Amino acid sequence: NAAAMIPHVDSWLERLGWTGNFDAAAAGRLPEGRRGREFSDSEIYKLLEGMAWEIGRTGDPALEARLGEIVRRVSAAQESDGYLNTMFGRPGQRSRYADLEWGHELYCYGHLIQAAVARARTVGLDDELVRVAVRAADHVCATFGPDGDQRVCGHPEIEVALAELYRVTGERRYLDQARAFVERRGHGVLGEIDFGPQYFQDHIPVREATVLDGHAVRALYLAAGAVDVAIETGDDDLLEAVRRQTLRTLARRTYLTGGMGAHHEGESFGADFELPPDRSYSETCAGIASVMLNHRLVMQTADARHADAVERTLYNIVATSPAADGRGFYYTNVLQQRVEGQLPSQTEPSARAQSAARPPFFAVSCCPTNLTRTFASLGAYLATHDDAGVQLHQYAPATIRAGVTAGDVELRVATRYPHDGRVEVSVTRPAPGPWTLTMRVPSWAVGATVTAEGRTRAVEPGYIEAPGPQAVGDVVVLDLPVAPRFTWADPRVDAVRGQVAVERGPVVHALESTDLGADVATARVRTDVAPSDDDGVVRVRVATAQTDDADWPYSRAPREPQAGDERLVPLVPYHSWAERGPSTMRIWMPVTDR
Amino acid sequence: NAAAMIPHVDSWLERLGWTGNFDAAAAGRLPEGRRGREFSDSEIYKLLEGMAWEIGRTGDPALEARLGEIVRRVSAAQESDGYLNTMFGRPGQRSRYADLEWGHELYCYGHLIQAAVARARTVGLDDELVRVAVRAADHVCATFGPDGDQRVCGHPEIEVALAELYRVTGERRYLDQARAFVERRGHGVLGEIDFGPQYFQDHIPVREATVLDGHAVRALYLAAGAVDVAIETGDDDLLEAVRRQTLRTLARRTYLTGGMGAHHEGESFGADFELPPDRSYSETCAGIASVMLNHRLVMQTADARHADAVERTLYNIVATSPAADGRGFYYTNVLQQRVEGQLPSQTEPSARAQSAARPPFFAVSCCPTNLTRTFASLGAYLATHDDAGVQLHQYAPATIRAGVTAGDVELRVATRYPHDGRVEVSVTRPAPGPWTLTMRVPSWAVGATVTAEGRTRAVEPGYIEAPGPQAVGDVVVLDLPVAPRFTWADPRVDAVRGQVAVERGPVVHALESTDLGADVATARVRTDVAPSDDDGVVRVRVATAQTDDADWPYSRAPREPQAGDERLVPLVPYHSWAERGPSTMRIWMPVTDR
């Protein structure tokens, strides 16, 4: 992230002139010199957030210097009353908040504030970025407060940001404003748009909705903000409403990859069980937003389903979008690629829905900057602690320090997960007394065991508890069987009927034409032969079957393809597909016997 | 059509002010007073075409008066050099042809000219609408001729219109201009748009393409125009290119209904075999355009596959769009409705993709007016004649007069097709000598027979010949077995794997929740029990099966729904679905044994 993705994104934002918009604003050269879409300011803020978390982790002085430079340029463009946006409010531009439906002004503040929160949490409140964001937030509270404009932003994001700003500053007015934005929405406060009010969740109040609907990223950001507001205000009804919406969305509107959003049109959730693999939109940012939402819910409800969703989405959406070198990205994450794509331009930004390969940047480029901030803050998802002990939600090599009732403790997590399923937890600094180690057993980990104090026992999916290791040398071992397995979809997912997927641990796998030596449309999988696992390389038995064209593709009897060769074919982890050049790909593969 | 649809559409066009735009233009009140989208002029022209064909059929004086009134208003808005468009060219509007990508100016002329062609073919060239269109066409030739603007219109339509204007006027310059537009396209002559150049077929020249691609209506109109140009200029290569594109599109990119266009995004064809039933766009206008294209091809190639496509599309797209009362319309024609829709507003135009029920009008309202001109000219698709005899392509009660080598002949076609499959052809005025009656046996009509001169013989799908009836009282009988049948899709259509449809003759049927008494998602069809046919009412044996929600809809083994009751359930012809109120619906139904 720090070595490749952040500099890559930074240089594209400079090259496209989106960062330069702030200089043009400060110099009074707008609107003529403005570049990029109406939400381009937010890309700079998301990059700043990524830098801030990265600096917090590493203290990199060069990155600190670069952050400082960008913050100065942003700060110079801020107006005296706190307003800050390069697209609106100047002579020749539309007036401030003239287009809340599409203008993204409050959305941009939201990302500015989240960047400042990252800064506050890593270097403290005495920071120029924090000051800029606080001025903006105060301007928002003054403009959209109880006596002000009673509308909301077309793109939620300010809600979660203001709630987090409240957490780091303790200033209640930010929380009140966040709550007001959550509560106002859903009463038709925004103007009519072609996509209808559900596009920006203005069709039903948050606390009355039963499922996430409309534009997926908008719905998920709003839900994350609503959870924060509910937690901080003790609003159990609101929390329960969002919790139920999220569980129903996981049960009926989520791809195997954790991806959300089945429609390209309106970038929206589809109907229940409408999950076409080839037309999946499954935007990277929706994956990030789902991680944000489910992480908040697991912290509050201790319901492992949300942590399972975080894990699935991290390994199969967040990890899928960027190329191995961090210099290319998927905006959409399709589960089936029917046509070999062409390599994207390396010099021009691509259309956002490009999906046959990972382009270096997009004209609408929310996802790359969103990834920088997500990768830089991944550590936050691993563990939590309370008085009784430490809870491990995700598994990665880590050192964890926590204060529990029994005293301070420092843990070491050693694992090659998800390559294998063995997770060893030992203490590098023991606590003076007993404490509880809580670990998540993912829903797929049938046959998991935990070994503590020399005893091994079988454990069921969900959170399980073990006595925390007491002495240096003591170790608690969680063993999660990651052996590859076939996975079937609910029969109501019409689009993948008669098809099967393969997962290994939390990692969804895919068949690529590169490995099959033929278009993956010809593949039929034998499900009576279990997938093999050769040090992480998964193979399935596949027959290739040719179907000849008919004049008309519908007939009185099922047309059976002519069975061809049958052999073991390797799959790839979905997150690394298309790394070897254009290919056709599918996660869901038809089975031989249907 | 004349009693309901034309007055309905006419009154909406007046009410929305789209017809009034011409008055505003003539009075110099534009641009302030302009209503509707940039292509709204074309709706008035399509209505005029519908009226013109209807008048040609019936001679209705009231309709003639109304047509005259609208033509006068249109004519008053035409400028002295022939330019005619209410959206461009005035002070305060963008200049003429400033936005060929999206401006639709030539597209609007295309529909104006097609209306004039309908007039020329029914009342002759001495007509005010013809004069308006000729002035516009001359302006187009002057502006976009060899020495003029070398671009094309973002939306094809002018090509087919100019070629037809050449046919009725004999003026070669119109044909030359049509050919120029066809040949220029595909060389990147239009500006960049988000959807990419294939959206308006500017990515590859027509004669080099191998399949129809991009926006479906645009691709089909362009292909129809290219066929006309090819025929009139004797360009066999061009004809062959479009013929191959069309056949591949029928074999790989067409829904069972004949519908085309699998993507809502960009209203475009999908990849080969990408035909999701729930996300089908399958626009009514694309169906109309496919009828136009395939009708031209069958006339030129005598290949029954094109006539089969015309029939299928007429019964399952063109007949599906309008409500039984002619006062509501589908814009998109989905093959599966997952959620019961709400009844649309009867007073406000709907968003165009509304599909749960038939709204009275749309904000983008190309389809209703397109239907008026299609229904008014249906007769044209029934029959053709040449020296040797008469060819029947479609079957409906009709009287047909034709001059063949043997002399003039008048036929009577008596049939209740497609209710039953018996088609009786007799002569009401015999020809002096022998002639050949050619009739199409649709591809689904396995077991068809023809009886002529007292002998019955089995006939195969395709065009078959019989001696034309010689004397009054002689009759040729074609018997097409319309018994309902199960239909399966090519195994490459992933989206309907393990599912079956039911057709009766050319009519695709559908299951509605109204008949099932439950959401159609619960239905499983027994394919070992043939569909029954009770005087046209088709029933299949259906089990309803409930699937309970899991926390996560993917599992290690296929989840089998709990089998419920099994009974005979009636299907409805797809073209009459949703006539009894909101319902869920599916054409493709999962079978019990998979």
Side-chain angles (χ1 to χ4, degrees), chain A residues 60-205:
Chain A
D60 182 342
L63 200 57
E64 173 74 32
R66 177 64 184 153
L67 176 134
E69 185 200 327
I70 299 175
V71 169
R72 273 189 297 279
R73 293 160 67 187
V74 168
S75 175
Q78 189 168 35
E79 298 180 36
S80 56
D81 66 348
Y83 183 86
L84 175 55
N85 191 288
T86 65
M87 187 73 181
F88 289 89
R90 293 170 191 79
Q93 293 183 325
R94 300 184 68 182
S95 59
R96 294 178 179 186
Y97 310 118
D99 184 10
L100 280 178
E101 288 74 24
W102 295 110
H104 286 77
E105 288 155 283
L106 294 166
Y107 167 84
C108 289
Y109 292 140
H111 281 300
L112 172 67
I113 292 167
Q114 286 206 315
V117 167
R119 209 55 189 154
R121 288 196 190 278
T122 49
V123 302
L125 291 169
D126 182 16
D127 177 80
E128 178 60 10
L129 179 53
V130 174
R131 282 186 289 271
V132 171
V134 162
R135 283 196 296 268
D138 288 342
H139 157 78
V140 169
C141 292
T143 310
F144 291 88
D147 304 323
D149 192 329
Q150 294 298 298
R151 295 175 300 159
V152 301
C153 185
H155 200 314
E157 161 65 24
I158 186 72
E159 299 82 359
V160 71
L162 285 172
E164 292 215 54
L165 187 63
Y166 158 73
R167 286 184 177 137
V168 295
T169 62
E171 295 286 351
R172 178 83 194 184
R173 65 181 178 283
Y174 302 138
L175 179 62
D176 291 342
Q177 187 64 46
R179 183 170 58 178
F181 282 136
V182 168
E183 299 289 2
R184 279 176 203 171
R185 203 176 204 93
H187 298 280
V189 296
L190 290 168
E192 281 188 25
I193 60 167
D194 278 358
F195 291 128
Q198 75 276 14
Y199 175 78
F200 37 43
Q201 294 75 46
D202 197 23
H203 61 310
I204 188 170

Side-chain angles (χ1 to χ4, degrees), chain A residues 144-461:
Chain A
F144 291 88
D147 304 323
D149 192 329
Q150 294 298 298
R151 295 175 300 159
V152 301
C153 185
H155 200 314
E157 161 65 24
I158 186 72
E159 299 82 359
V160 71
L162 285 172
E164 292 215 54
L165 187 63
Y166 158 73
R167 286 184 177 137
V168 295
T169 62
E171 295 286 351
R172 178 83 194 184
R173 65 181 178 283
Y174 302 138
L175 179 62
D176 291 342
Q177 187 64 46
R179 183 170 58 178
F181 282 136
V182 168
E183 299 289 2
R184 279 176 203 171
R185 203 176 204 93
H187 298 280
V189 296
L190 290 168
E192 281 188 25
I193 60 167
D194 278 358
F195 291 128
Q198 75 276 14
Y199 175 78
F200 37 43
Q201 294 75 46
D202 197 23
H203 61 310
I204 188 170
V206 176
R207 60 176 74 242
E208 293 174 22
T210 58
V211 67
L212 298 177
D213 214 346
H215 186 284
V217 177
R218 287 168 209 246
L220 289 157
Y221 279 172
L222 176 63
V227 170
D228 279 351
V229 166
I231 292 169
E232 299 302 334
T233 61
D235 187 338
D236 291 343
D237 287 350
L238 182 60
L239 180 66
E240 176 61 16
V242 178
R243 194 185 74 84
R244 275 188 287 108
Q245 293 161 30
T246 306
L247 289 176
R248 177 159 162 200
T249 302
L250 289 172
R252 296 183 160 214
R253 297 186 173 191
T254 305
Y255 283 103
L256 181 62
T257 54
M260 295 184 182
H263 292 185
H264 284 242
E265 183 81 4
E267 308 177 74
S268 66
F269 287 100
D272 289 347
F273 303 109
E274 186 177 68
L275 294 162
D278 42 5
R279 290 298 289 164
S280 53
Y281 196 71
S282 188
E283 183 184 337
T284 301
C285 288
I288 291 170
S290 170
V291 168
M292 287 167 55
L293 171 61
N294 280 291
H295 175 60
R296 282 165 168 74
L297 285 171
V298 77
M299 297 228 291
Q300 200 58 21
T301 66
D303 182 337
R305 289 176 288 187
H306 299 297
D308 286 352
V310 169
E311 172 174 82
R312 181 170 291 279
T313 310
L314 287 175
Y315 281 110
N316 302 298
I317 297 290
V318 174
T320 300
S321 171
D325 68 2
R327 294 186 170 84
F329 307 91
Y330 277 132
Y331 189 105
T332 61
N333 296 280
V334 297
L335 285 80
Q336 178 175 0
Q337 179 71 30
R338 290 183 175 274
V339 183
E340 276 189 14
Q342 295 176 333
L343 289 176
S345 165
Q346 291 301 308
T347 55
E348 293 299 317
S350 291
R352 60 183 168 184
Q354 165 86 39
S355 61
R358 294 172 179 85
F361 221 66
F362 302 92
V364 174
S365 213
C366 44
C367 300
T369 53
N370 223 351
L371 286 169
T372 65
R373 72 186 187 111
T374 304
F375 278 103
S377 57
L378 276 181
Y381 302 114
L382 295 187
T384 53
H385 69 96
D386 59 14
D387 290 348
V390 175
Q391 300 86 40
L392 299 186
H393 305 290
Q394 309 295 339
Y395 301 111
T399 299
I400 295 164
R401 279 174 293 274
V404 298
T405 304
D408 286 351
V409 63
E410 186 180 89
L411 307 181
R412 182 169 166 274
V413 179
T415 184
R416 297 200 303 156
Y417 187 87
H419 183 79
D420 70 37
R422 186 177 172 87
V423 180
E424 299 179 357
V425 182
S426 54
V427 284
T428 42
R429 209 174 69 197
W435 56 279
T436 301
L437 176 64
T438 302
M439 291 183 289
R440 180 179 59 94
V441 178
S443 66
W444 50 262
V446 176
T449 61
V450 68
T451 305
E453 299 179 336
R455 287 189 302 276
T456 298
R457 64 187 165 102
V459 286
E460 295 291 311

